[in-house]
């Protein structure tokens, strides 16, 4: 299940690359969220899925949705649409395990062992090798402006993972998805209405990217993420995100023909070894 999650999660950057030329980022996400809500609400109704019993649980699940979906995905899509390479974006988000390890010790009382710190450091070093060459000759001010949305995305996914592990680690994936995406859609639509034209070019590539992100990412990968958060420690779950940039590079090579340097291949090996070390029982 962890390896399947990494593979599916990595394709999100590829889906963004396919779809963003035809739509603005927040409008893209609004369309995606709306489809997910319709599909999951129908599934929850047909299968008679249980719903939370208290108002507090609704609030907690909704907050995790805004953090994990709204802030994280919004930051990633805006960063890529502004020109930040997908590999660099994934590197920034790849800092999440280090921040999660700090937060898990302070907020959740999880013990972070020295072996896990070493594995997390190895993972970061490997990820840096994989995507470092993508920076190119971009100027510092321009790169900084593109980097800010990715940093906000990093904050969202880190706080969201810790919050969900602390306040609502277990909930039905069908009804929970509806509760998570409803406030996320409302906030994203509000921002899109005030900052974007909300026009969509319904090309074949956009439709493919939209369906892929809805069915494979929002339904498949997010469900796996919720299961992983429910069954594992926050640090162990977060360490999986180190594998996303190398896996994204492999998918980009298979789909777009992007080649990998020897340094990138070495970085992948280091990142995989670091994740294995951090997750070792």
């Amino acid at each position: 299940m962890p390896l399947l999650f990494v593979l599916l999660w990595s394709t999100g950057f590829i889906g963004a690359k396919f779809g963003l030329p035809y739509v603005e980022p927040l409008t893209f996400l609004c369309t995606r969220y709306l489809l997910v809500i319709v599909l999951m609400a129908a599934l929850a109704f047909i299968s008679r899925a249980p719903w939370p019993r208290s108002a507090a649980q609704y609030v907690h699940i909704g907050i995790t949705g805004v953090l994990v979906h709204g802030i994280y995905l919004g930051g990633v899509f805006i960063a890529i649409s502004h020109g930040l390479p997908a590999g660099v974006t994934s590197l920034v988000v790849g800092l999440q395990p280090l921040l999660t390890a700090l937060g898990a010790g302070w907020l959740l009382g999880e013990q972070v062992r020295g072996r896990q710190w070493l594995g997390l450091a190895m993972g970061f070093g490997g990820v840096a090798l994989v995507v470092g060459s993508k920076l190119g000759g971009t100027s510092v001010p321009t790169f900084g402006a593109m980097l800010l949305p990715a940093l906000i995305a990093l904050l969202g996914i880190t706080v969201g993972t810790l919050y969900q592990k602390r306040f609502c680690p277990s909930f039905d994936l069908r009804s929970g998805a509806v509760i998570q995406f409803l406030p996320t859609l409302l906030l994203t639509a509000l921002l899109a209405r005030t900052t974007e034209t909300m026009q969509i070019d319904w090309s074949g590539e956009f439709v493919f990217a939209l369906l892929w992100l809805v069915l494979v990412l929002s339904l498949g990968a997010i469900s796996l993420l919720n299961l992983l958060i429910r069954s594992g420690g926050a640090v162990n779950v977060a360490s999986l995100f180190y594998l996303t940039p190398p896996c994204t590079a492999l998918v980009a090579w298979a789909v777009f023909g992007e080649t990998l340097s020897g340094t990138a291949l070495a970085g992948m090996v280091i990142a995989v070894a670091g994740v294995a070390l951090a997750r070792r029982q």
Side-chain angles (χ1 to χ4, degrees), residues 8-111:
L8 297 182
W9 194 266
S10 301
T11 62
F13 296 98
I14 306 302
K17 185 173 181 178
F18 267 113
L20 282 173
Y22 308 100
V23 64
E24 293 163 296
L26 296 182
T27 302
F28 193 172
L29 290 174
C30 285
T31 309
R32 173 180 174 179
Y33 297 153
L34 181 60
L35 288 178
V36 172
I37 291 171
V38 171
L39 291 175
M40 293 306 287
L43 179 60
F45 176 76
I46 293 173
S47 61
R48 298 181 179 180
W51 294 78
R53 297 181 178 180
S54 67
Q57 282 299 101
Y58 277 92
V59 173
H60 289 318
I61 296 172
I63 291 175
T64 63
V66 172
L67 292 169
V68 174
H69 306 309
I71 296 179
Y72 168 71
L73 290 177
V76 166
F77 273 56
I78 291 174
I80 294 177
S81 68
H82 287 177
L84 190 67
V88 177
T89 306
S90 64
L91 171 61
V92 175
V93 180
L95 293 171
Q96 184 213 354
L98 290 177
L99 298 183
T100 302
L102 290 173
W106 293 339
L107 302 177
L108 304 180
E110 293 185 11
Q111 183 179 5

Side-chain angles (χ1 to χ4, degrees), residues 10 14 130 134 244-254 258 260 264 268:
S10 301
I14 306 302
V130 172
K134 295 181 178 293
T244 300
C247 193
T248 300
L250 288 174
V251 176
W253 169 74
E258 297 181 3
L260 298 173
M268 288 184 186

